[in-house]
Amino acid sequence: MTEPQSALLLRRQLAVDKNGDVCISILHEPGEDKYGYEKPEERWLPIHTVETIMISVISMLADPNGDSPANVDAAKEWREDRHGAFKRKVARCVRKSQETAFE
């Protein structure tokens, strides 16, 4: 059995691309960002621990960055109707995750 690429719950998250890859600065290759969006010190460094990575993931979930989304469609929905259609889609993803969690 292999580990899942991402939980279904995250499929509607702005920082998760259509392939299910989590896109947060702390996990990006070290060095300069070719797009100039991230500072080198925001990217991967060998000093990061499980704790610093988890804090980054919690931050991503609590306060999504709509200015630099990996999932453009989700970001558009989030900006236009975050408390309506977007919230309903997230709720459906959560239910589906719960139903398939132990398969």
Side-chain angles (χ1 to χ4, degrees), residues 3 6 9 14 16 24 40 90 102:
E3 69 279 6
S6 68
L9 169 61
L14 278 55
V16 178
I24 51 178
V90 169
F102 299 104

Side-chain angles (χ1 to χ4, degrees), residues 9 12 15 17 46 63 75 77-79 82 89 100-101:
L9 169 61
R12 298 306 311 161
D17 68 18
D63 188 21
E77 292 171 1
W78 179 75
R79 280 192 298 271
R82 78 179 69 176
K89 286 182 180 182
T100 61

Side-chain angles (χ1 to χ4, degrees), residues 48-61:
H48 288 304
T49 63
V50 171
E51 180 182 11
T52 61
I53 293 168
M54 290 306 298
I55 288 170
S56 186
V57 170
I58 290 167
S59 174
M60 170 193 76
L61 294 171

Side-chain angles (χ1 to χ4, degrees), residues 9-16 37 59-91:
L9 169 61
L10 294 177
R11 296 271 182 214
R12 298 306 311 161
Q13 176 49 251
L14 278 55
V16 178
Y37 184 76
S59 174
M60 170 193 76
L61 294 171
D63 188 21
N65 181 358
D67 295 331
S68 178
N71 185 334
V72 177
D73 295 333
K76 182 176 184 283
E77 292 171 1
W78 179 75
R79 280 192 298 271
E80 292 175 355
D81 191 14
R82 78 179 69 176
H83 300 294
F86 181 78
K87 187 175 181 179
R88 286 189 297 276
K89 286 182 180 182
V90 169

